[in-house]
Amino acid sequence: MSTDTVGYRPKAGEIPTQPGVYRFRDKNRRVLYVGKAKNLRARLSNYFQPLRSLHERTRRMVTTAASVEWTVVASEFEALQLEYTWIKEFNPPFNVQFRDDKSYPYLAVTLGERIPRVMVTRNRNLKDARYFGPYTKVWAIRDTVDLMLKAFPVRSCSDGVYRRAELTGRPCLLGDIGKCAAPCVGRISPEDHRELAEDFVSFMAGNDTKYIRDLNDKMKQAASTLDYEAAARHRDAIQALEQAMGKSAVVLQENVDLDAFGIAHDELAAAVQQFIVRGGRIRGVRSWVVDKELDITLGELVETVLQNAYEGTDAPPREIIVPELPEDATELEQWLMARRVEADEAGPVRRGPKSTGRVELRVAQRGDKAALAQTAEMNAKNALILYKTRRSSDFVARSKALNDIQDALGMADAPLRMECYDVSHLSGTNIVASMVVFEDGLPRKDQYRRFSIPESTDDTESIYQVITRRLAYLKDDAAGGEPEETVDGGTTADGDDPEIDVDAEIAEAAERRRRKFSYPPNLLIVDGGQPQVAAAQRALDESGVTGIQLAGIAKRLEEIWLPDSDFPVILPRNSDALFLVQRIRDEAHRFAITYQRARRKRDISSVLGEIPGLGPARVKELLKHFGSVAQLRQATPEQIAEVRGVGPATAAAVHDRLAAG
């Protein structure tokens, strides 16, 4: 990071590349500037160039701010709408183009007049007018009106122009080019013109497919009677309406008040995004990260989130969109309805909608509300990734985690090198184990290792074998001898290196690996509780290696077990120490599963490759066709013969070979 920029600059990798809206805030959390971006990362990087290269106004805004935050949305259109909402809500001092008190423009149809008129206006007080919008750009709404008038030629001129046309008996230019039905000169009756205006309103209100379908029928009928001029007019109207539909899309209907919650969670934490929609527009966004309790379902998490969201003076809206309904949804709705009443009685401090009617919890399945829920969930996922990235990469947090682990386990020194082991198998077959290494709280993927276990009675026996083989390197290194075991070397977490036999032919390569492998850990962690720790301790005692602290992490309660201990060590749920231990455990589990799956795939390919007439290409085609080894084993010879390039005889051979095991 350049020193010639601001200190709160986020790392480039932390900023998403999706469209969204960003806000700069000062030290008092006041919003200074709201902007939108097609690509948040690319846009925000412009603000964090060397200060001397920034425009004077931009430099003043960036240096006045103390933080920047962003909200991801599903499309550029949503970003534009959200930017408008927040500019009106926060009135940021650096958004100078919106400093006047004018509202954004609306499309209005003055149904209260004898001859209704289509107009673009910022006045929301026209009597008996039907409004559509708001639109953030005047040109956008004018384009929409221009397209709509091709299909619905409603009057759009001013009162002065209309009266002049009545007096002269000559329509204006719009009447001459077919974009006005010209009621001013009697080309259409006032009743028919009102019907045309009502059709305009109905189309804009969402009954769009009906009119396009009717126009299609009229176009086909005109073409069948060889009236090609009329058919062309209908065709042009259809094209205009379809273009207008794309330009006039809105997030939700104007009478919609709801809160949409998106939740992303893992074993450690949950990120929550609350989109507050009032009058069909996003009026605000709240986000927070909570530490999860153990074994909590998404439905239970939803209940906790809602109770936290509405414990203050904000009244819940009538409709709340959640990712999953909790089991006691009915009772929770009653609690939320009571909160609406309490917030209403609190007086003018209440900021929510009027507290009338029941509160309904729903899971949106389709339509605009489902799209909004997906946007909220996407933001929650991004927030969780950002939270975990910052927590893992924070040097202060890692140092504190290592010191806390040292204190909790009673170690003489901080565990600067930790190794974690996990065992994976498929119903007792293809038993493998993984070893992952963290140094200074960060993974060292070049020192990951993978083990094949030929035979084992259970997980504890597998742990004993793996730890024995691992410690042999440390013992033999001290004695100057060579290890007799084989170990899978991994240069990356997803590598698929072949097994290494330490013999004369590869002595030099093995020696390089052995030097890396012979560096002892401060802390050795196994995935499991007391039985697994006891098995690892037995291997440690038999090896004679000393100076290594042993511990196990039991996933059920996330508790730390030490050898010969009747009670576990409980690390605080929100501690960086537990976060680090869980992270290394999860990495070991992932690495073991990856290797176990690769072994299974390699084994089935070897078995099938022994069948005459079945080469690598056809083996690959078989696995691709059935999707998994399990599906292939269940297939009949006839089903196998359906695979391209596999005949009946070969299919029967494959079936018999797999049935024989």
Side-chain angles (χ1 to χ4, degrees), residues 320-551:
I320 299 176
I321 305 296
V322 294
E324 181 177 307
L325 290 177
E327 292 185 0
D328 56 347
T330 302
E331 290 76 13
L332 186 57
E333 287 175 345
Q334 294 175 355
W335 181 85
L336 291 168
M337 187 165 58
R339 289 294 309 119
R340 281 173 64 85
V341 174
E342 293 173 9
D344 187 51
E345 293 174 350
V349 297
R350 179 182 62 81
R351 296 186 297 276
K354 187 178 179 181
S355 57
T356 57
R358 66 188 298 266
V359 176
E360 181 183 6
L361 296 179
R362 294 183 58 241
V363 177
Q365 301 292 340
R366 61 184 65 86
D368 293 334
K369 294 179 181 179
L372 183 67
Q374 291 175 357
T375 300
E377 182 182 0
M378 178 173 59
N379 276 276
K381 290 179 178 178
N382 278 324
L384 184 61
I385 292 172
L386 179 60
Y387 169 75
K388 295 181 70 175
T389 300
R390 285 180 170 171
R391 198 170 183 183
S392 300
S393 59
D394 188 340
F395 175 77
V396 175
R398 294 202 316 271
S399 299
K400 186 177 186 306
L402 294 173
N403 290 331
D404 288 347
I405 292 173
Q406 174 189 350
D407 294 340
L409 303 187
M411 300 176 62
D413 301 303
L416 299 182
R417 178 183 171 96
M418 297 186 293
E419 295 178 1
C420 187
Y421 296 81
D422 185 37
V423 173
S424 178
H425 60 83
L426 179 65
S427 302
T429 64
N430 274 327
I431 307 172
V432 300
S434 66
M435 161 190 156
V436 300
V437 180
F438 274 41
E439 288 187 352
D440 296 327
L442 295 174
R444 284 292 305 272
K445 294 187 175 183
D446 62 315
Q447 297 189 28
Y448 285 13
R449 295 292 184 270
R450 301 179 294 195
F451 300 82
S452 298
I453 304 174
E455 292 183 6
S456 179
T457 56
D458 54 26
D459 281 354
T460 57
E461 174 64 20
S462 300
I463 286 289
Y464 169 76
Q465 288 190 37
V466 171
I467 301 301
T468 297
R469 290 164 60 177
R470 165 67 180 111
L471 296 175
Y473 279 76
L474 302 180
K475 182 177 66 173
D476 290 340
D477 181 66
E482 294 290 342
E484 297 179 356
E485 299 292 339
T486 63
V487 62
D488 294 332
T491 57
T492 66
D494 295 314
D496 190 20
D497 295 331
E499 293 188 355
I500 301 168
D501 295 321
V502 183
D503 54 29
E505 295 181 2
I506 56 172
E508 184 178 353
E511 177 62 23
R512 287 196 300 268
R513 292 185 181 275
R514 193 175 71 83
R515 282 198 298 268
K516 283 186 177 181
F517 202 45
S518 62
Y519 187 74
N522 304 104
L523 176 61
L524 193 154
I525 303 172
V526 295
D527 183 16
Q530 285 177 301
Q532 286 78 12
V533 173
Q537 182 63 50
R538 179 161 57 97
L540 193 61
D541 293 340
E542 293 177 0
S543 71
V545 176
T546 59
I548 297 177
Q549 175 66 55
L550 176 65

Side-chain angles (χ1 to χ4, degrees), residues 303-321:
E303 180 177 350
T304 302
V305 165
L306 294 183
Q307 290 173 340
N308 178 74
Y310 301 113
E311 66 180 0
T313 58
D314 285 347
R318 294 188 184 91
E319 185 177 4
I320 299 176
I321 305 296

